[in-house]
């Protein structure tokens, strides 16, 4: 399935939670994390909602057998940790910084109060969650029906925020192992397709990854 940029949280009208909280005179905590630092761990108490101001965050789940699966890669203006608002007592996943990252941390009771009292924040948060659910559904269909080559191409396009001003971005540094965990395949397959995409001019790949718009043809090709 081709990505649907219009439904991505990153393409919604810009909203800065810090500016919103400042204008409302509401105190908040700002936390900074170095690359690879753990923000919260799977199984830890779920007591806060987080909002990314700068950087990128990986959400991953570890199975009982020790196998890790990457659930999402989030960027600036994304919320995470919102499961606590739905009664989740402990974290179902681990959140870790993929680059130097700054997040706003809002206590669960305060976030609940804000959502009830501030329509602007509630509308933005609801739109974000609906868009996140749509992406999860698309990811499931992608896993069920598309080849690993198409899944990798779609993942790269989404990570590059394809469709935002029609200017794909350089991806945050990540290993082929992480890409394999996101796509649901092996590192060797990811390496094979990354080299193929580079040879065809779809990506520039030399440590960092730059995605070219031509990669979309892999996703659209039947």
């Amino acid at each position: 399935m081709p990505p649907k940029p219009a439904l991505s949280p990153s393409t919604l009208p810009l909203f800065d939670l810090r500016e919103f909280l400042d204008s409302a005179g509401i105190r908040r905590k700002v936390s900074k994390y170095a690359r690879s630092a753990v923000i919260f761990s799977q199984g830890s108490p779920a007591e806060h909602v987080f909002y990314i101001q700068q950087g990128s965050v990986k959400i991953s789940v570890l199975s009982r057998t020790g196998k890790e699966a990457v659930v999402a890669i989030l960027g600036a203006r994304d919320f995470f940790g919102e499961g606590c608002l739905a009664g989740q007592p402990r974290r179902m996943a681990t959140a870790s910084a993929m680059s130097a990252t700054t997040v706003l941390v809002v206590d669960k009771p305060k976030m609940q109060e804000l959502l009830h009292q501030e329509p602007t924040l509630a509308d933005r948060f609801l739109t974000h969650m609906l868009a996140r659910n749509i992406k999860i559904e698309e990811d499931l269909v992608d896993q069920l029906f598309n080849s690993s080559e198409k899944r990798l191409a779609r993942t790269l396009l989404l990570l590059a925020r394809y469709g935002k001003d029609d200017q794909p971005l350089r991806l945050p540094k990540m290993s082929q192992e992480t890409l394999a965990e996101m796509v649901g395949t092996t590192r060797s397959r990811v390496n094979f397709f990354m080299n193929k995409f580079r040879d065809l001019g779809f990506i520039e790949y030399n440590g960092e990854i730059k995605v070219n718009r031509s990669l979309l043809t892999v996703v659209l090709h039947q």
Side-chain angles (χ1 to χ4, degrees):
M1 289 182 64
K4 299 180 180 179
L7 298 176
S8 169
S10 64
T11 61
L12 298 172
L14 294 183
F15 173 87
D16 191 310
L17 182 61
R18 181 170 185 171
E19 291 182 3
F20 175 85
L21 296 179
D22 284 344
S23 65
I26 298 169
R27 296 181 63 185
R28 77 286 178 204
K29 178 182 178 182
V30 178
S31 296
K32 296 184 177 182
Y33 297 90
R35 183 182 180 186
S36 301
V38 174
I39 300 171
F40 60 72
S41 300
Q42 185 173 329
S44 63
E47 300 172 340
H48 306 90
V49 176
F50 299 82
Y51 176 81
I52 305 172
Q53 280 191 289
Q54 181 180 354
S56 54
V57 173
K58 177 177 73 171
I59 308 296
S60 60
V61 177
L62 193 66
S63 72
R64 291 182 178 179
T65 59
K67 183 177 181 181
E68 183 183 39
V70 176
V71 178
I73 301 291
L74 307 176
R77 296 189 173 90
D78 280 336
F79 291 93
F80 66 101
E82 67 281 346
C84 64
L85 300 176
Q88 184 184 93
R90 295 191 174 276
R91 299 297 184 190
M92 302 297 292
T94 294
S96 54
M98 295 191 66
S99 59
T101 299
T102 302
V103 299
L104 293 183
V105 185
V106 183
D107 291 342
K108 172 184 172 181
K110 175 57 68 174
M111 191 68 180
Q112 290 173 323
E113 178 184 337
L114 288 171
L115 291 174
H116 281 100
Q117 296 180 356
E118 301 290 347
T120 301
L121 175 61
D123 288 346
R124 169 65 191 192
F125 188 77
L126 177 60
T127 303
H128 168 84
M129 294 310 303
L130 291 173
R132 177 82 66 81
N133 286 341
I134 289 171
K135 182 181 180 302
I136 290 173
E137 291 178 358
E138 291 176 343
D139 288 346
L140 178 59
V141 172
D142 191 38
Q143 288 285 343
L144 291 173
F145 296 110
N146 287 336
S147 66
S148 56
E149 181 178 13
K150 280 190 178 182
R151 295 201 307 271
L152 176 60
R154 177 175 177 271
T155 296
L156 292 172
L157 287 165
L158 290 173
L159 288 173
R161 303 298 174 101
Y162 171 77
K164 184 176 182 180
D165 299 326
D166 290 326
Q167 294 293 329
L169 304 175
R170 291 186 181 275
L171 304 189
K173 286 188 176 181
M174 65 180 67
S175 66
Q176 290 188 355
E177 287 83 357
T178 297
L179 284 172
E181 290 163 358
M182 295 181 67
V183 173
T185 187
T186 63
R187 180 193 174 283
S188 61
R189 294 294 286 170
V190 167
N191 182 62
F192 173 81
F193 291 126
M194 291 290 283
N195 289 331
K196 176 181 177 180
F197 294 162
R198 179 177 56 190
D199 292 343
L200 292 172
F202 295 155
I203 64 173
E204 297 173 28
Y205 182 39
N206 185 18
E208 292 187 347
I209 305 170
K210 182 179 179 181
V211 177
N212 297 320
R213 295 181 62 186
S214 55
L215 182 62
L216 187 62
T217 60
V218 178
V219 179
L220 296 176
H221 179 70
Q222 298 297 326

